Amino acid sequence: METLDKFDIAILHQLQADGRLTNAELANRVGLSAAPCWRRVRALEEAGFILGYRAEINRTKIGLGVLAFVRIDAERNSGDALRQMETAIRDIPEIVSCHYISGSGTFELQVVCPDLNHFSRFAREVLINLPNVKDLHTSFSLGEVKAAGALPLSHLLTKSLPTTNGRKT
């Protein structure tokens, strides 16, 4: 599966909005019968467009009131040293997201903790002791405006439109 058509895009859109849809509900919403819809979902999963399904949990309801953004500066940016850092970061549940970044710093982490005392202890006992860490820079979320949003798909629709004389119709 290399290209997505309007049905594939509609399936992705609907599943991002509600991953608990039954196949019958999904098929109805995207204008397909159940069997072709199921085959398309499986093809999207196998091709890596759909990575998985999970519940979105309200972190504050489960007692994770602190969301911190931590920039880590690496001591060395060599392959082995960074791989050791990556492996260690993947194994820490409080780190819910990690990205390589451009500019100053090497990694940007999103870290959740119950409160500031827990975060302080976590930073001193865990983060600063990760392999190859030179320095930490932390900012705290003061409130979420938008989080865990669905990915935009409109750019996929413009690619799939037929063209006439070099113009999209």
Side-chain angles (χ1 to χ4, degrees):
M1 172 178 271
E2 293 192 24
T3 60
L4 300 175
D5 67 15
K6 68 178 185 175
F7 292 109
D8 298 321
I9 295 166
I11 288 169
L12 293 174
H13 176 74
Q14 291 297 323
L15 287 176
Q16 281 193 119
D18 184 357
R20 294 183 64 180
L21 289 173
T22 66
N23 185 59
E25 291 170 325
L26 179 61
N28 184 49
R29 288 187 186 187
V30 301
L32 290 171
S33 59
C37 183
W38 182 85
R39 284 192 295 271
R40 283 175 178 265
V41 170
R42 294 295 167 255
L44 289 165
E45 291 169 349
E46 289 170 10
F49 288 98
I50 298 173
L51 299 176
Y53 303 87
R54 63 179 168 264
E56 186 177 337
I57 298 172
N58 182 328
R59 69 176 172 80
T60 59
K61 290 271 189 186
I62 61 166
L64 296 172
V66 170
L67 172 61
F69 301 94
V70 181
R71 189 181 75 224
I72 293 180
D73 297 329
E75 191 72 47
R76 295 175 320 280
N77 284 319
S78 67
D80 288 338
L82 291 179
R83 276 189 289 282
Q84 285 180 329
M85 267 180 112
E86 290 173 16
T87 299
I89 287 168
R90 282 188 193 101
D91 291 337
I92 301 170
E94 291 86 355
I95 300 173
V96 295
S97 175
C98 174
H99 298 269
Y100 282 113
I101 58 171
S102 63
S104 63
T106 306
F107 293 105
E108 181 84 19
L109 312 177
Q110 286 186 25
V111 176
V112 292
C113 287
D115 54 43
L116 286 175
N117 288 334
H118 279 86
F119 178 82
S120 179
R121 190 168 45 254
F122 179 75
R124 289 188 324 267
E125 294 174 6
V126 177
L127 294 178
I128 201 68
N129 290 310
L130 287 168
N132 195 37
V133 169
K134 178 180 175 182
D135 203 2
L136 302 175
H137 306 274
T138 304
S139 299
F140 294 98
S141 171
L142 300 177
E144 289 180 358
V145 175
K146 182 177 181 181
L151 296 174
L153 301 174
S154 60
H155 68 287
L156 297 172
L157 291 171
T158 59
K159 288 181 181 178
S160 65
L161 293 175
T163 60
T164 306
N165 296 334
R167 292 184 171 185
K168 291 187 179 184
T169 56

